[in-house]
Amino acid sequence: MLKRFFTPTVEVSAHCDLPCGVYDPAQARIEAEAVKAIIAKVADKPGDEDFKMRATIIKEQRSQLVKEHLLVLWTDYFKPPHFEKYPQLHTLVNEATKLAGASGTKGEWDIAKADELLGKIDEIARIFAETKQA
């Protein structure tokens, strides 16, 4: 029994090749496109409060998913070397998640905010693609 405590240990390290291999900002983009489509559909049916209520629930859910997908990329995929090479990345993710939040597509019906969110996601996707090639 004591032998087990005094036996040298072996240090190991591993890279998260499975999780890092499955992340993709396309998931956030798909949800953001759904949000934009919902905003457009509601604009086409003014005065239909039942439709707007159902759409609100879905829009808020999809906006939350955008935030979750972006935050997972930010916390689990992007690493310090990425933030060093792309110093704007922290601000970009922060701005995108806020655009998907209560003051953005989750809480408002402004199609321009949906377009702005899609633009931020495209910037994140460009950086993501560059990190995958490195």
Side-chain angles (χ1 to χ4, degrees), residues 64-96:
Q64 183 63 33
L65 286 171
V66 170
K67 288 173 60 174
E68 290 174 17
H69 289 305
L70 293 175
L71 290 172
V72 166
L73 282 172
W74 185 56
T75 59
D76 295 353
Y77 174 78
F78 290 119
K79 305 288 184 238
H82 300 139
F83 296 117
E84 289 170 17
K85 185 171 181 182
Y86 304 97
Q88 76 278 25
L89 193 53
H90 285 299
T91 302
L92 187 57
V93 172
N94 181 268
E95 290 171 350

Side-chain angles (χ1 to χ4, degrees), residues 17-85:
D17 59 344
L18 180 59
C20 286
V22 298
Y23 296 135
D24 196 322
Q27 294 167 307
R29 187 168 214 322
I30 289 167
E31 300 299 349
E33 287 174 352
V35 168
K36 182 179 177 181
I38 291 166
I39 293 170
K41 283 183 178 280
V42 168
D44 288 343
K45 291 189 169 207
D48 188 341
E49 292 304 312
D50 289 336
F51 181 78
K52 186 173 183 178
M53 181 56 70
R54 292 192 325 268
T56 299
I57 293 167
I58 296 167
K59 179 178 71 77
E60 288 180 1
Q61 290 170 340
R62 299 295 148 218
S63 291
Q64 183 63 33
L65 286 171
V66 170
K67 288 173 60 174
E68 290 174 17
H69 289 305
L70 293 175
L71 290 172
V72 166
L73 282 172
W74 185 56
T75 59
D76 295 353
Y77 174 78
F78 290 119
K79 305 288 184 238
H82 300 139
F83 296 117
E84 289 170 17
K85 185 171 181 182

